[in-house]
Amino acid sequence: MTAVAASPVVIARTGRHRKPQLSSVQQWLALSGRNVHTMWSHGQIFVAVLAPLIFTLGFYLPLKFVMKVQGIDYAQFVMPIIVLQAMAFTAITAAGRAATEASNGMNARFQTMPIFPAVPLASRVTAMFIHAVISLVAAVTYGYVIGFEFIGGTSLAVGFCVLALGVGMTLAMAGDALGTMTKSPEITSQSLTLPQLILGMFSSGFVPESQFPEWSQGFVRNQPISQFSVSMRSMAEGNITLHQLTPSLLWIGGLLLVAVPLSIWANVRRG
């Protein structure tokens, strides 16, 4: 009699248990919060603020007086490459984060959990964007201290920032793919640092194109860092044209066509 009487209660309680409804948005918010907390606890946010200061001092002070003799306002001239170096540092950080999660088994753990496949990547993209915004704000702030200003007005200042973030996120996506595939923070750091240093130093971001040897000016003029620098400098000065901006947009579009599918494939399909 006791067993018979209790059975309806058991059935009723069992019927009230429902399968939890998965939400990709909630998962993205949770993992994004985790990534931001990791950035904070590991000091990456502090480094995002400090790195642009180091770039500003290291790039501006050595050539300041030389460029002044040539009649160049070097704070205005060098600011784009300072921002671009800060964005490149964001990409290196993103690559290291992706490599760490791939090497310590976190990605494999995500694959065994009821998490939508694209959510881990989306959460890291969110962390990349936050890191890039912090670095951009810091770099522009330091730029104003040394004498840089947006002469072209608010709309072009916004365009300057959008272009910088576009470059930063494109490089970060490529870095995330590289980090996920190599599973080695050391390899990704070395693989990304050397190209950005070579392209940065061999660009018109630090000195005018005319100061390079004549045989190298074609490469200096047409490589992506120079194109980004020229477009951002023109935006800051208020004399940007569609002709000047088009190469930068084409470079970003081309790099995105490679970086985004590669990053999605590396994160969603690779074990």
Side-chain angles (χ1 to χ4, degrees), residues 7-148:
S7 59
V9 178
V10 174
I11 293 173
R13 288 179 178 177
T14 303
R16 286 198 295 267
H17 288 285
R18 295 182 179 179
K19 183 179 180 180
Q21 298 296 318
L22 301 180
S23 170
S24 58
V25 174
Q26 291 179 349
Q27 292 176 354
W28 166 70
L29 289 173
L31 289 183
S32 296
R34 165 186 170 271
N35 287 333
V36 173
H37 180 267
T38 300
M39 289 169 55
W40 176 262
S41 61
H42 289 184
Q44 292 177 352
I45 292 181
F46 172 74
V47 175
V49 175
L50 179 63
L53 175 61
I54 297 174
F55 296 146
T56 301
L57 296 177
F59 298 163
Y60 174 69
L61 294 180
L63 295 175
K64 169 185 175 182
F65 296 105
V66 175
M67 292 299 175
K68 186 176 181 180
V69 171
Q70 300 182 28
I72 297 176
D73 182 353
Y74 199 53
Q76 202 72 22
F77 186 91
V78 79
M79 191 62 209
I81 196 66
I82 292 174
V83 172
L84 290 173
Q85 288 292 321
M87 296 299 100
F89 188 78
T90 297
I92 294 174
T93 303
R97 183 183 301 115
T100 300
E101 292 198 349
S103 62
N104 65 11
M106 184 59 69
N107 285 354
R109 184 178 179 184
F110 285 149
Q111 291 177 355
T112 64
M113 300 172 67
I115 296 177
F116 289 91
V119 167
L121 173 60
S123 65
R124 288 203 302 275
V125 170
T126 303
M128 298 176 205
F129 183 75
I130 293 173
H131 190 286
V133 169
I134 293 173
S135 289
L136 175 61
V137 171
V140 172
T141 301
Y142 302 141
Y144 266 84
V145 172
I146 64 174
F148 167 79

